[in-house]
């Protein structure tokens, strides 16, 4: 019998907090299905819950610190605390404390489980509440993706297509937390997407740590195709009738071939905004990061994207202050902003991670102050490029998928070019939530465009 730190108690309500990327959000939707199968009710506030579950991220130290802050508050409120997601590393779903470094180290955490072990969660929770209802059916223990997600919104869905990463960029902990690349079967993905569309979903985002490293399981299809596996999958999903919008995140520049760009170009329901993480504008930093491409290659891809997809916008990820990044290297990143005019960039200060090549073998030699300075400068630069990109749209028509309507009856949604559009919709505006509406863009700000409904 495993040692349980908390007293046994009746579990009625859960509170689930998700940190990190869209993959985690997608996993949380599957976790919710499992929890509801146990008759546990979702609580919107932590205070009302008996068990607090955290789906964690460990990409940067800051992300882990946020999780620990949350654990501390949950424990103070005397909740049972469970962790899953990327902080639960190679330690398997908890069997006993000796086997799990997280449990061993943190008295405040009651249980941990790998997300792949989601089907075992009913058994795990039963140990805390033996009276917990059994699910009506057994979950497939071989593949947690077979558990259907409980969508948070009825108009859009995230569909995982692969997980893990084999790239081992020197700064990145993902290959250690998520493990090696593993692609889902083609048929399962297409079936899940078709189901969503049949249930009224308008927008699907295909998610994975490295979506364009997707590996097709169907050898017949492989023989017929001249495209990369991801291009084949993307097109197949885009062709689902009534799917209004298709996005994907994140691709790796190394696998971003013409074929993917051509699929986007010929399928109008695929988003005209491409997220392509570049990390740095300096080839020498890219080499130290183990990114496997020179900056010229990135520029070639974006040039082709612009040629093939009129009006395309680009977003990216940047790390500043990586080991050995000189002022000259940093200036190259700023120059890249000028050349590429990113609509959005997620800019991070380098955070050394234990177990990664850079974390173990390369000096963290840029001071905190200097990292912060570079971050601030890069963010200022981004404001300029974002405004530039938004201004480009003034006077044109774009289609926004409305996500929310505020008290002043202003609706907000994302357009097919990735811009955040705000439009007045009148008193009964809530009916537009989940709808795609044409917007005439009249004004541009840094982070939004404004306009009117057409
Ligand atoms: N430090 C800072 N940023 C990081 N990222 C990944 N690992 C680190 C790290 N150790 C950023 C990269 C990646 C994004 C998901 O997080 O920019 O693309
Ligand atoms: Fe991390 Fe690099 Fe893999 Fe992206 S490609 S998940 S940055 S190792």
């Amino acid at each position: 019998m495993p040692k349980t730190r908390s007293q046994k108690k009746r579990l009625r309500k859960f509170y689930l907090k998700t940190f990190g990327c869209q993959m985690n959000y997608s996993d949380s939707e599957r976790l919710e299905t499992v929890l509801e199968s146990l008759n546990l009710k979702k609580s919107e506030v932590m205070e009302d819950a008996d068990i607090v579950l955290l789906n964690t991220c460990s990409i940067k130290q800051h992300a882990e610190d946020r999780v620990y802050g949350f654990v501390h508050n949950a424990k103070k409120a005397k909740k049972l605390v469970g962790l899953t997601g990327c902080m639960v590393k190679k330690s398997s779903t908890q069997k006993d404390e000796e086997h799990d470094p997280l449990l061993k180290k943190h008295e405040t955490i009651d249980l941990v489980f790998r997300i792949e072990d989601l089907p075992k969660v009913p058994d795990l929770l039963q140990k805390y509440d033996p009276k917990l209802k059994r699910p009506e059916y057994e979950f497939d223990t071989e593949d947690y993706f077979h558990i259907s997600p409980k969508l948070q919104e009825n108009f859009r869905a995230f569909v995982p297509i692969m997980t893990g990463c084999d790239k081992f960029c020197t700064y990145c902990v993902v290959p250690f937390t998520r493990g090696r690349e593993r692609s889902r079967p083609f048929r399962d993905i297409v079936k899940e997407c078709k189901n969503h569309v049949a249930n009224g979903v308008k927008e699907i985002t295909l998610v994975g740590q490295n979506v364009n490293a997707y590996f097709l399981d169907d050898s017949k299809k492989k023989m017929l195709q001249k495209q990369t596996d991801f291009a084949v999958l993307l097109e197949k999903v885009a062709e689902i009738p009534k799917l209004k919008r298709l996005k994907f995140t994140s691709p790796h520049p190394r696998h971003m071939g013409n074929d993917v760009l051509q699929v986007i170009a010929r399928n109008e329901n695929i988003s005209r905004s491409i997220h392509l993480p570049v990390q740095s504008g300096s080839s020498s930093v890219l080499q130290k990061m183990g990114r496997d491409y020179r900056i010229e290659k990135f520029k070639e891809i974006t040039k082709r994207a612009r040629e093939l997809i009129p009006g395309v916008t680009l977003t990216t990820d940047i790390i500043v202050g990586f080991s050995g990044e000189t002022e000259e290297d940093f200036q190259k990143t700023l120059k890249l902003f000028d050349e590429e005019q990113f609509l959005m960039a997620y800019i991070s200060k380098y955070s050394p991670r234990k177990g990664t090549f850079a974390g173990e073998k390369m000096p963290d030699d840029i001071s905190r102050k200097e990292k912060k300075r570079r971050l601030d400068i890069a963010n200022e630069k981004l404001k300029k490029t974002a405004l530039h990109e938004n201004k480009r749209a003034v006077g044109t028509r774009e289609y926004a998928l409305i996500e929310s309507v505020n008290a002043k009856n202003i609706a907000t949604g994302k357009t097919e070019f990735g811009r955040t559009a705000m439009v007045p919709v009148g008193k009964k505006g809530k009916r537009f939530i989940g709808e795609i509406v044409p917007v005439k863009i009249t004004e541009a700000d840094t982070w939004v465009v404004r306009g009117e409904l057409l």
Side-chain angles (χ1 to χ4, degrees):
M1 186 73 184
K3 186 175 157 196
T4 51
R5 304 156 171 214
S6 292
Q7 295 298 314
K8 286 187 176 144
K9 59 189 217 169
R10 286 293 286 139
L11 300 179
R12 291 190 177 86
K13 283 188 169 183
F14 71 90
Y15 178 76
L16 173 58
K17 170 95 182 149
T18 307
F19 298 83
C21 65
Q22 284 159 340
M23 192 74 184
N24 274 9
Y25 280 86
S26 165
D27 286 342
S28 282
E29 293 186 334
R30 287 178 157 80
L31 173 55
E32 237 183 276
T33 301
V34 173
L35 296 172
E36 291 198 346
S37 78
L38 299 167
N39 227 359
L40 289 167
K41 300 275 174 295
K42 184 178 180 175
S43 166
E44 296 301 330
V45 286
M46 186 185 76
E47 288 68 26
D48 288 349
D50 307 301
I51 177 164
V52 172
L53 291 169
L54 307 176
N55 193 354
T56 62
C57 171
S58 52
I59 199 96
K60 291 177 259 181
Q61 188 55 45
H62 174 66
E64 289 199 5
D65 293 344
R66 281 186 61 212
V67 171
Y68 288 126
F70 222 92
V71 169
H72 179 74
N73 289 341
K75 215 58 218 176
K76 233 167 70 183
K78 299 202 166 31
K79 309 293 176 193
L80 191 69
V81 179
L83 256 66
T84 185
C86 292
M87 275 168 69
V88 185
K89 298 198 175 130
K90 286 193 181 122
S91 53
S92 65
T93 295
Q94 189 223 342
K95 292 199 179 62
D96 61 63
E97 276 182 37
E98 296 313 308
H99 286 96
D100 199 290
L102 256 185
L103 286 177
K104 216 167 154 185
K105 204 162 144 205
H106 300 278
E107 286 281 304
T108 43
I109 300 167
D110 296 299
L111 63 143
V112 296
F113 58 93
R114 299 271 299 159
I115 196 68
E116 295 87 331
D117 287 328
L118 189 51
K120 297 183 192 155
V121 164
D123 287 343
L124 202 59
L125 292 186
Q126 219 107 34
K127 286 170 188 148
Y128 292 90
D129 177 3
K131 289 192 182 141
L132 206 60
K133 174 182 172 266
R134 292 293 312 167
E136 263 139 40
Y137 43 88
E138 287 291 313
F139 294 111
D140 180 349
T141 50
E142 293 301 307
D143 186 356
Y144 82 101
F145 287 128
H146 283 154
I147 299 170
S148 24
K150 166 118 174 81
L151 296 191
Q152 301 303 298
E153 292 156 321
N154 52 16
F155 58 91
R156 58 179 168 184
F158 297 108
V159 176
I161 65 167
M162 56 82 68
T163 170
C165 183
D166 290 351
K167 296 285 173 301
F168 289 90
C169 300
T170 56
Y171 54 81
C172 187
V173 80
V174 167
F176 305 96
T177 58
R178 285 267 171 186
R180 307 308 298 266
E181 279 170 10
R182 185 167 69 86
S183 293
R184 285 180 74 191
F186 184 79
R187 275 174 174 212
D188 286 6
I189 298 169
V190 175
K191 192 170 149 206
E192 187 170 324
C193 291
K194 282 185 175 166
N195 271 344
H196 285 321
V197 175
N199 290 330
V201 163
K202 304 228 166 61
E203 176 183 284
I204 286 177
T205 306
L206 303 178
V207 296
Q209 268 76 37
N210 237 316
V211 282
N212 50 355
Y214 177 74
F215 187 77
L216 201 57
D217 55 308
D218 187 333
S219 53
K220 271 194 228 132
K221 273 200 186 66
K222 261 194 193 304
M223 281 194 310
L224 291 174
Q225 75 188 42
K226 291 200 181 71
Q227 295 170 299
T228 55
D229 296 359
F230 178 63
V232 174
L233 176 73
L234 189 65
E235 186 135 50
K236 183 77 183 171
V237 177
E239 284 168 355
I240 296 175
K242 294 202 181 134
L243 174 61
K244 299 276 189 249
R245 194 170 286 175
L246 179 58
K247 300 180 178 182
F248 57 87
T249 190
S250 293
H252 191 290
R254 184 172 143 198
H255 304 286
M256 195 67 179
N258 269 344
D259 53 359
V260 173
L261 298 174
Q262 276 155 355
V263 170
I264 301 173
R266 61 175 177 257
N267 289 276
E268 283 192 353
N269 57 354
I270 304 182
S271 170
R272 269 54 199 136
S273 181
I274 301 177
H275 183 66
L276 196 59
V278 64
Q279 312 301 357
S280 169
S282 154
S283 291
S284 103
V285 174
L286 288 174
Q287 194 185 19
K288 288 182 196 146
M289 288 177 164
R291 289 291 288 178
D292 262 7
Y293 54 85
R294 298 181 65 77
I295 198 64
E296 291 74 23
K297 155 98 179 164
F298 180 84
K299 291 182 190 171
E300 252 170 53
I301 301 169
T302 58
K303 181 165 170 271
R304 266 185 277 124
R306 288 196 188 90
E307 285 163 7
L308 290 167
I309 310 159
V312 69
T313 61
L314 298 168
T315 64
T316 198
D317 293 346
I318 299 280
I319 298 175
V320 294
F322 184 64
S323 182
E325 186 190 66
T326 62
E327 179 61 26
E328 199 188 338
D329 292 321
F330 176 59
Q331 289 300 327
K332 287 183 181 163
T333 298
L334 295 180
K335 187 163 157 260
L336 188 73
F337 272 85
D338 286 331
E339 290 165 357
E340 300 293 348
Q341 298 291 327
F342 297 116
L343 175 66
M344 184 60 196
Y346 301 92
I347 309 168
S348 310
K349 289 180 283 186
Y350 170 55
S351 164
R353 309 308 288 130
K354 235 178 145 192
T356 62
F357 186 82
E360 302 292 334
K361 302 255 176 347
M362 298 165 91
D364 180 21
D365 53 1
I366 310 298
S367 70
R368 280 170 74 172
K369 197 169 154 211
E370 180 58 17
K371 281 182 191 167
K372 169 87 168 63
R373 186 186 76 87
R374 292 182 192 178
L375 177 74
D376 291 345
I377 295 173
N379 273 320
E380 282 308 309
K381 187 63 126 181
L382 170 65
K383 283 188 193 162
K384 293 201 179 93
T385 64
L387 181 62
H388 173 274
E389 283 304 86
N390 277 339
K391 277 189 174 162
R392 215 152 57 84
V394 173
T396 68
R397 175 178 57 186
E398 290 187 10
Y399 292 85
L401 173 60
I402 302 299
E403 293 163 21
S404 62
V405 177
N406 69 12
K408 291 180 179 159
N409 298 318
I410 308 285
T412 303
K414 281 260 191 291
T415 74
E416 71 275 37
F417 288 94
R419 297 183 173 91
T420 302
M422 294 180 82
V423 272
V425 280
K427 276 201 182 117
K428 288 190 181 156
K430 289 237 170 356
R431 70 182 187 281
F432 288 112
I433 294 177
E435 297 298 324
I436 294 182
V437 298
V439 178
K440 178 161 191 239
I441 297 170
T442 54
E443 231 180 278
D445 271 344
T446 310
W447 308 122
V448 297
V449 290
R450 291 171 219 282
E452 51 207 47
L453 274 187
L454 276 173

